[in-house]
Amino acid sequence: MTPLVQVRDVHRTFGRGATAVHALRGVSLDVAPGELVALVGRSGSGKTTLLNLVGGLDRPDAGTVHVAGTDVGALDDDGLVALRRDVVSTVFQTFGLVPVLSAAENVGVPLRLRRLPADEREQRVARLLELVGLTPHATQRPDELSGGQQQRVALARALAVSPRLLVADEPTGQLDRETGLAVMALVRGVVEAEGVTALVSTHDPVMIALADRAVEVVDGRLVGG
Amino acid sequence: MSAAARSRVQLRLLGVVLVVLVAGLAVLAGCVLLLTTGADRARQAALGQAAADDTAVQVVLTDLGEDPGPAVAAAGGALGAALAPVPPRTSTWLTSTVRDVPPGADGGRRLGWLAGVDDLPARADLVAGSWPAPPAAGAPWPAALPVAAADALGLALGDVVVLAPTTGLADAAATAAVTVQVVGLVQPRDGAWAQDRLDGAGSVPDLEFGVFGGTRLPAAGPFLVDPATLLAAGPGLEEVSLVAAPAVAAASPAAVDRVTAGLGTLTGDVRSAVSSAGAAGAVTSRVVDPLAATLADAGTRLAAGRTAVLAAGVLAGVLTVVVLGTAARVLGDRRLAETVLLRARGATGAQLVRRALTEAVLLVGVAALLAVPLAVLVTRAVLADRLPGSDPGSPLPVPVLVAVVVGAVAMVGLLAGGGIRTGPPGRSSGRGALARSGADLLLVGLAAVAVLSLGGAAGTDPLLVVAPALVLLAGCAVALRVPPRAAALADRRAVRGRALVPVLVAADLARRPLAGGATALLVLTTAAAVAAGGTGATWWVSQADQADLRVGADLAVPAVPGVPGTGVAAATGGRVTPVLSRPVALGSLLRDEDGDATQLVAVDTAAGVLRGRVPGGWSAAVAPLARTGSTPSSTPGGTVLPAGRPVVTVSGTAGTPGTTAVVTLVLADPTGARTTTVLPDVVLDGTPVATALDLPAPGTLVGVVLDLRPGPDADPEGVDRVDVAVGLPGTAADWALALPRGALGGDQVLSGLVLDPQALRLTGRVALGSPAGDGQRLLLLPDASPSAVPVLLSAGLATELGATTGADYTMVVGDVDVPVQVAGVVPDVPSVPGGPAVLADAGAVADALLAAGDLDLAPQAWWVADPGPDAVAALAAVGLPGGVTRTGLTADLRGGPLALGLPLGLGLLGVGAVLLAVTGAVLQAGAVRSGRRAEVARLLGLGAPRSTVRRVLLLQHGVGTAVAVGLGAVVGVVGTVLVGPALTGSPVPAAAVQLPWLPWTALVVGLVVVGTAVVLPVVRVLLRVDVAGALREGGS
């Protein structure tokens, strides 16, 4: 089976000269469709950089990144936008919800970007909120929700357009252990139920345990995986 | 981070803060300069431009008795004391009672009088001979004569004339004859002989004489003699006039204020000084004080300007505080992390305060160094341009320094307070932000201004000073309630749609509270700019309304004997109407509660010359005043006489030899003005007397006054037969015989007489009384006099009288009773703003006066509609100086020295408000940059195209700006309506609110465009955001 994500010898450097930071040094990685892969490593190891490249938020300096057969490095800005809208959804550590929109409206943002008819959109939003167990909180705004609830809204939003790849950068980083466990279980469940491929960076051993496999990033290089 | 490094990093924000500080301090300094130096220079310039007659004070003494010297000296002392702070140029004019001069060649009686003028060389040009000097003992008094008087009396240099003792008065015996020798001939200078009995004319054929003025005799004079000699001569002085002209234009404001105070008590001071002088008998004194009126008018107008400048300054201060408060908060937000870190590292509160204060003092100091010279230079340049020749005074008066220091201290406090915040930035409502911006403290300041203004310079209304700021603040607070509701509606609609952009825009407006002073200040600054423009437009139009009412027509010029209406029409090229304008008594009312005499204004109501604001227009307002038969004044009934020299022949016989007929013709020229021509006396012995008239234009004979005087042998109790005919050229009219209204006899007299109206021949029998009496006056009139003259009353007069339409009154014009009927009420009668006045048709009034036998029908002024461009100069060239156009007066009211305060104050406010509005928009753009970074990253991270994100940001900011500016405009319009007219002073007519939609629209559109445009570079920067990095940093 062709991997959904193919990373070949990717390099990414920030800055120049003596202060240059080599975030990724020749990283190669394959993620099969439907797989939940955990990226582990210390802060500054290059996990986030790798996730950004895979998620279409950045371009490699060298090497290639293919997502669903598309060379991310060759995409222009519009192409990256389309990739983020239609193929890859990202869940951020800081949730990334729009503060003035309710939970339901936040979930509906990607659907509005696709200009889905209102009825269809609202049906899908309702289903997603039910999936993440937040139906009673549909009309509440982010500042009225707990961290875990916000992360679940972010997850529901990420799933709104049925992405092929779900990228999550430390999704439980700002949550307590119990909540984090619940969120990761949700991710696991969504991967299995929706057939979504997921690439998740985490420190959490429980999260690692729930993943199909773990890949360690040390100083910009992959160890294992 | 060192202060310098921090400043470099936050250079843009500090630059904005500096702009706000400079704008605020410059406006403050400018307003104080206008209130101090500006007001002084304006008053100086206005007084310098005032006519000499308007800055003089005159004390007139009559009933001087036998020894006028002490009374004159005492009055002079009182006048000098009142004007001591500004020592005046004084002159004294003594006028004797009339005396008989030797009869002329025809043996007829002639009158003359003596005068003594102590500054004669300044009032006349010596044409021949020498100025009068004190006489040698026993010698004739040297006297100079006006050339016209010498010609009338047939006198030349060297002639000796005996002026008989005073004649016709009870104390005639107390005066002695005076022998004068003509030593000089003088030509009076225009405008310098106001104290003369004949205004420098030199001679008059019919001076009213006698106790009741019933006799008219030729008179010529004055015989100008040494004033000390005339004063020392004892009795025989009819009037002494002391005129003082202080140089108030060059005086200090304090000196002018002292003079004003002195003039306030001058009447009583003169009266008491004169009575203390111990003069025998009661000397009557009268003070004519145009200077007081001029100073009062200047004070009133300056007070209106002062109120407006204060109000503008207070409002500008409010705006500055709000903007500065917002800027300080933004600065504090920007430095919050640093402040928290410093606190955590052990910095004490005092250290933080010291650091914030140091930076604030530096910023405010730099701003003051920029703002004060800017304000001084600009203000002085404007004042020099508008008030040329006025003393610029000190470049930095103490009040300006004090105001700037106080303002700077307040600004330091605001800035420093905002810079040491340690709490987290919280969501803030517009109203809350207003409070945190210091507006609540401003209310304390406003109260202080109001208290300090109480008992301040006369005319400054403390409530009016603070009202604009309070109205706009209150309006903004109310206005900020509206958008959330409207936005909620938009939000609900947007949510039901498909697109993302409307949802994000509407949700931002509806659910993110109108945050921060940034939006509130945009509302407030827009409101201030709109209100400044609206108030300025209201004031601008009000000046034209005032000029229209004060002048009454397009052009008004005082009438001068000898210059006919046709001459006025030829010189101006416009439609001319004669104006009868004189004080009258209406009903029982001579003066209103303010002491103003009721003024009659009679014009040709069909000529369409009236100007001024009146409901429905003047054509409709004066329609009820049309003469019976709807013929206007200029086309009365009567016999039309051709231009040129038409001949009028008077002939007749009487039963008693020596019976005489004196015929007076009353003519109306093409303008409708009435003139009287007295024909030579005709002895009714059958000999016709033909007289050629001199008519420059066709005229209409509208009345013939026939005075029949008995012969020397007439029987005082008898009835004489008379047969008198007046032969006229032209078409005969349907004449009727009448007695003067109110004359004794009435039907009994008329029953004995028959008039042939076509031949204008009167036959019958009439009692003429004794030879010493006045005989019998009969009137031949072509039109029946209306029973009552329809009039319009001014509203104030109607209220005082309790008059309603249809009410009948008697109007006393001179000595004549004229029945009038109220045809309507108007707010004000043209040329009598705010005063009690009666408006009538000139022809109707002239007919009514003639029907009462009154021949004082000459107009006091000419009003012209649609004059040519140089009409005023053309009128002066034909002997009619003093013409005033409403356009010229409007220009003076708008641009004269006393009109500076309000427009400049509003200009400062408007410019300052726009500058602060733009600054507020820049601050808000900065808030967008710092507050929306994460939001932009979110949307981009979700796959929203950059174009979508750009549209969202621009619409969020643009709609927010448009809403704020729109709300501000509404508040500004409301402020204009509520406070604008009051800020223009208390003009008559009251200022009508002007709503300059076009300039306002341009302002609002401009502010929205600029306010939105300032965010464009910010949007550009935001769209280049590092999405991943921003999302990693920011939270929901």
Side-chain angles (χ1 to χ4, degrees), chain A residues 147-170:
Chain A
Q149 289 169 332
Q150 290 185 54
Q151 195 61 290
R152 280 191 275 168
V153 172
L155 181 60
R157 184 180 66 185
L159 297 172
V161 295
S162 301
R164 296 190 63 184
L165 175 65
L166 179 69
V167 174
D169 189 1
E170 304 274 1

Side-chain angles (χ1 to χ4, degrees), chain B residues 20 27 197 246 279 309 356 445 449 508 510 581 688 708 719 739 898 965 1011 1027:
Chain B
V20 174
V27 171
R197 185 174 260 121
V309 172
V449 167
D508 186 70
S581 176
L708 295 173
V719 176
L739 279 182
L898 299 175
V965 170
V1027 175

Side-chain angles (χ1 to χ4, degrees), chain B residues 851-870:
Chain B
D854 185 355
L855 297 179
D856 185 10
L857 306 173
Q860 284 69 51
W862 303 99
W863 286 3
V864 184
D866 304 320
D870 298 315

Side-chain angles (χ1 to χ4, degrees), chain B residues 61-66 68 71 171 237-240 279-285:
Chain B
L61 301 175
T62 55
D63 302 319
L64 289 149
E66 295 192 5
D171 60 349
L237 272 184
E238 182 172 300
E239 181 180 287
V240 174
V283 175
T284 304
S285 64

Side-chain angles (χ1 to χ4, degrees), chain B residues 205-206 208 216 561-562 564 580 582 641 662-669 672-680 691 693-695 700-707 777 779 781 846-847 849-851 853-859 862:
Chain B
D206 54 356
E208 273 192 12
R216 289 172 179 264
L580 302 175
R582 55 190 77 173
L641 298 180
V662 180
V663 174
T664 303
L665 305 178
V666 181
L667 291 158
D669 74 6
R674 275 36 171 188
T675 57
T676 56
T677 302
V678 181
L679 301 180
T691 307
L693 305 177
D694 188 8
L695 299 183
T700 304
L701 186 65
V702 297
V704 177
V705 178
L706 179 60
D707 287 310
R777 171 165 280 188
L779 304 176
L781 302 172
D847 287 348
L849 291 174
L850 180 58
D854 185 355
L855 297 179
D856 185 10
L857 306 173
W862 303 99

Side-chain angles (χ1 to χ4, degrees), chain B residues 982-1008:
Chain B
L983 275 177
T984 62
S986 303
V988 179
V993 173
Q994 300 299 312
L995 305 177
W997 297 114
L998 200 57
W1000 275 349
T1001 303
L1003 172 69
V1004 166
V1005 168
L1007 283 176
V1008 171

Side-chain angles (χ1 to χ4, degrees), chain A residues 151 170-176 179-181 183-184 202 204 207:
Chain A
Q151 195 61 290
E170 304 274 1
T172 60
Q174 295 199 2
L175 305 177
D176 60 78
T179 307
L181 186 62
V183 169
M184 285 314 304
T202 182
D204 194 338
M207 183 73 231

Side-chain angles (χ1 to χ4, degrees), chain A residues 81 84 94 96 100 105 112 121, chain B residues 495 497 499 511 938 940 1031 1034:
Chain A
V81 164
R84 294 198 293 267
T94 57
V100 295
E105 288 163 350
R112 287 181 182 274
R121 181 188 69 236
Chain B
V495 164
R511 305 178 198 180
R938 282 180 209 118
L940 292 174
L1031 287 172

